[in-house]
């Protein structure tokens, strides 16, 4: 590479080519969610704030104000009702809010009974309580709680101008077959539920339920989901990765040094430090709707495709939940970079006025040609395989922070009875059981998402999660034996039917039972067929 190829003019040309290549990638339109509003507004709060606001919500809006200390002789107008009682609970979203007010005879009263709609729903809510009724970091669409930086005049203007019909994207897709939330009534992974700042995710038996009307597309759930059971869809991750690859290919084709990838979102203004980085000729801006939609698999894909450093720019409106999720993923990324012998500054999360640390603007070897995009783990592992080469020098696993979605299992061989309850619970087939005369519990690390179902469901409490990742492909993809035991042969027919540890454990549990005699304990040594035959023989003596 000639020195002249790195002058500012050449870098600016490379950036223009990269941006053009990214713009040429087709972005499919996401499905949409429709809201319908009939202009019924619930106002709740103290008289000092609420009564002033009512004058600014004229017809055709129809308003129901729950004001506990409202004056008895308060004048009302057409389209306004005032109830001298507080709202005690609130839920829902634009067009379908429900609320309750003070109980009567111990039962909460549906506030919608005092409203304007036959279906008892409220379309919009102006919450002037302190503190507000809803505590979600990302409140539902149609809900306004002025205070803490939210301007009352702006909230009133948005209520007055709310259209009868509005749309937003359905920001996610959900694949039940990949979900590791629960099985057989045992709860495993709850990452999306725990992190959603909008309260749009809830447990629904063995799967999770995503409320498309509450979801506002922050993508925090997709950042923490271990294997893409929930995926961002506006745009989908394969589109984002294809645009990233096209941009980096075009930059590299210009013959200049590798870029510093600056990932910026639509989540509000950026800090001055990031703005300064964007102005640098060596920086390549990569614009996405929300920062959390660009996760750890995309970071390492960018490094594998030849970028030198990645700056993740936090916007002023990036939710705190998204920031926490990104910090957790960043800790995993930094552990991997350290194992690769690279500085953690290769991937940096820049927040506020923080000045991003400099990293070598050089690629980590020859760029990869293509990476799979079917799931986030497939993309990540392929990128790691490329960056680690043949992996021969990375035989040892990399320890990761607690609650990581990558790891292995530590099985107490003395406690494990090879009952295979863990195998039946495992949602990703990371665990399997085999063997006729020798029972074995097999484990494939690349498939494990550390959901905890095996740990929670093990009747002997013999399993412990161990967060780690292996850069050596064979080490994480080759099944290995975690526990094994010989099968005990039936004392009557000789067929192996139960592991020795399971038999010993069963005999230990019943040996002191007052209703089980020694003969019954000995029958535990019979296979099911021989045990049934013996039981029948006892019930019907003289018959085989």
């Amino acid at each position: 590479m000639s020195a002249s190829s790195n002058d500012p003019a050449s870098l600016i040309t490379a950036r223009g080519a990269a941006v053009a290549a990214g713009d040429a990638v087709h972005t499919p339109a996401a499905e949409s969610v429709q809201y319908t509003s009939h202009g019924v507004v619930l106002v709740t709060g103290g008289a000092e704030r609420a009564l002033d606001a009512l004058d600014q919500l004229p017809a055709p809006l129809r308003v129901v104000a729950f004001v506990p200390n409202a004056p008895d002789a308060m004048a009302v107008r057409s389209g306004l009702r005032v109830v001298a009682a507080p709202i005690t609970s609130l839920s829902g979203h634009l067009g379908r809010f429900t609320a309750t007010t003070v109980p009567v005879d111990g039962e909460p009263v549906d506030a919608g009974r005092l409203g304007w709609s036959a279906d008892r729903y409220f379309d919009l809510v102006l919450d002037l309580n302190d503190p507000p009724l809803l505590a979600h970091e990302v409140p539902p669409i149609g809900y306004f709680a002025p205070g803490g930086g939210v301007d009352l005049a702006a909230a009133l203007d948005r209520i007055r101008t709310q259209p009868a019909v509005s749309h937003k994207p359905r920001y996610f897709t959900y694949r039940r077959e990949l979900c590791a939330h629960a099985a057989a009534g045992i709860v495993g992974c709850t990452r999306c539920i725990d992190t959603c700042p909008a309260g749009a995710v809830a447990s629904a038996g063995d799967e999770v339920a995503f409320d498309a009307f509450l979801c506002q597309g922050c993508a925090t759930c997709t950042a923490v989901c271990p294997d893409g059971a929930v995926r961002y869809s506006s745009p989908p991750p394969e589109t984002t990765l294809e645009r990233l690859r096209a941009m980096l290919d075009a930059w590299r084709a210009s013959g200049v040094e590798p870029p510093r990838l600056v990932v910026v979102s639509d989540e509000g203004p950026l800090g001055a430090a990031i703005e300064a980085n964007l102005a640098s000729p060596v920086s390549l801006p990569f614009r996405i709707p929300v920062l959390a939609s660009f996760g750890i698999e995309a970071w390492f894909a960018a490094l594998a495709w030849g970028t030198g450093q990645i700056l993740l720019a936090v916007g002023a409106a990036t939710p705190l939940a998204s920031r926490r999720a990104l910090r957790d993923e960043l800790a995993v990324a930094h552990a991997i970079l350290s194992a690769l012998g690279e500085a953690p500054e290769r991937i940096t999360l820049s927040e506020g006025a923080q000045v991003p640390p400099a990293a070598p603007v050089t690629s980590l070897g020859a760029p990869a040609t293509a990476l799979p995009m079917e799931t986030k783990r497939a993309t990540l592992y392929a990128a790691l395989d490329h960056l680690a080469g043949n992996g021969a020098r990375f035989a040892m696993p990399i320890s990761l922070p607690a609650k990581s979605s990558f790891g292995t299992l530590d099985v107490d061989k003395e406690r494990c009875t090879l009952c295979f309850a863990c195998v039946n619970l495992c949602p990703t087939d990371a665990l399997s059981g085999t063997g006729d005369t020798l029972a074995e519990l097999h484990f494939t690390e690349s498939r494990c998402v550390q959901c905890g179902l095996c740990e929670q469901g093990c009747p002997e409490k013999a399993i412990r999660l161990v967060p780690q990742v292996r850069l050596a492909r064979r080490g994480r993809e080759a099944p290995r034996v975690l526990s094994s035991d010989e099968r005990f042969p039936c004392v009557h027919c000789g067929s192996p039917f139960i592991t020795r540890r399971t038999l010993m454990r069963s005999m230990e549990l019943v040996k002191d039972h007052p209703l089980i005699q020694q003969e019954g304990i000995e029958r535990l040594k019979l296979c099911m067929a021989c045990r049934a035959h013996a039981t029948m023989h006892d019930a019907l003596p003289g018959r085989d």
Side-chain angles (χ1 to χ4, degrees), residues 32 34 44 97 219 302 317 323 331 345 375 422 445 478 519 535:
S32 65
Q34 177 176 300
T44 173
F97 283 104
R323 301 183 191 201
E345 289 79 18
T375 66
C422 55
E445 187 169 317
E519 182 181 358
T535 303

Side-chain angles (χ1 to χ4, degrees), residues 134-497:
L134 299 184
H136 297 307
E137 183 186 359
V138 178
I141 293 176
Y143 173 83
F144 304 93
V150 179
D151 184 66
L152 175 59
L156 290 167
D157 184 62
R158 290 179 63 184
I159 291 173
R160 288 190 296 263
T161 58
Q162 174 62 44
V165 176
S166 56
H167 298 82
K168 74 168 183 64
R170 182 183 292 270
Y171 291 108
F172 63 88
T173 58
Y174 175 61
R175 296 173 62 185
R176 169 67 185 88
E177 70 275 12
L178 294 178
C179 185
H181 170 57
I186 299 171
V187 176
C189 178
T190 59
R191 292 177 175 92
C192 58
I193 298 172
D194 296 339
T195 59
C196 178
V201 191
S203 178
D206 286 353
E207 57 188 80
V208 290
F210 293 84
D211 191 323
F213 292 91
L214 290 178
C215 171
Q216 295 185 49
C218 70
T220 308
C221 59
T222 68
V224 300
C225 184
D227 198 20
V230 57
R231 305 174 81 224
Y232 195 69
S233 61
S234 184
E238 56 269 27
T239 300
T240 298
L241 288 171
E242 179 58 30
R243 186 163 63 89
L244 174 65
R245 185 197 60 77
M247 292 178 70
L248 292 174
D249 282 353
W251 179 286
R252 187 170 61 254
S254 299
V256 296
E257 65 187 43
R260 176 184 295 116
L261 189 74
V262 184
V263 184
V264 295
S265 71
D266 297 334
E267 296 169 304
L270 304 171
I274 285 295
E275 294 289 359
N277 266 279
L278 285 171
S280 170
V282 78
S283 293
L284 174 60
F286 187 76
R287 301 190 179 277
I288 54 177
V290 289
L291 195 59
S293 67
F294 195 79
I296 188 171
E297 75 284 3
W299 306 345
F300 280 98
L303 292 176
W305 281 329
T307 191
Q309 183 185 21
I310 302 165
L311 300 182
L312 305 166
V314 172
T318 302
L320 293 176
S322 297
R323 301 183 191 201
R324 287 191 291 267
L326 290 169
R327 291 186 201 116
D328 289 344
E329 291 293 271
L330 195 62
V332 174
H334 284 173
I336 294 173
L337 286 170
S338 295
L340 288 169
E342 294 294 331
E345 289 79 18
R346 289 278 189 180
I347 307 174
T348 298
L349 186 69
S350 179
E351 303 184 63
Q354 172 189 356
V355 178
V361 187
T362 55
S363 63
L364 277 68
T369 52
L371 297 173
M373 302 180 188
E374 293 81 10
T375 66
K376 63 189 298 183
R377 291 171 83 89
T379 302
L380 175 62
Y381 283 144
L384 294 182
D385 288 342
H386 176 79
L387 295 172
N390 61 19
R393 61 190 179 95
F394 301 110
M396 299 301 294
I398 305 166
S399 295
L400 296 179
K403 298 183 179 179
S404 168
S405 59
F406 304 92
T408 187
L409 304 178
D410 179 28
V411 174
D412 186 332
K413 297 179 178 60
E414 295 302 316
R415 297 179 67 90
C416 175
T417 61
L418 278 299
C419 68
F420 295 147
C422 55
V423 174
N424 295 326
L425 289 170
C426 183
T428 62
D429 295 328
L431 289 166
S432 60
T434 60
D436 295 325
T437 59
L438 180 67
E440 293 182 330
L441 177 63
H442 290 186
F443 175 72
T444 305
E445 187 169 317
S446 63
R447 298 176 182 175
C448 179
V449 297
Q450 298 280 284
C451 65
L453 281 170
C454 58
E455 184 181 54
Q456 296 296 321
C458 176
E460 307 302 334
K461 303 302 179 186
I463 298 176
R464 181 175 65 90
L465 302 180
V466 181
Q468 66 176 45
V469 68
R470 293 178 184 267
L471 293 180
R473 181 175 182 179
R474 179 174 177 79
R476 67 172 183 265
E477 293 192 357
R480 64 179 185 272
V481 177
L482 296 182
S483 183
S484 64
D485 193 17
E486 291 183 353
R487 291 193 182 275
F488 184 85
C490 172
V491 295
H492 183 264
C493 70
S495 299
F497 74 101

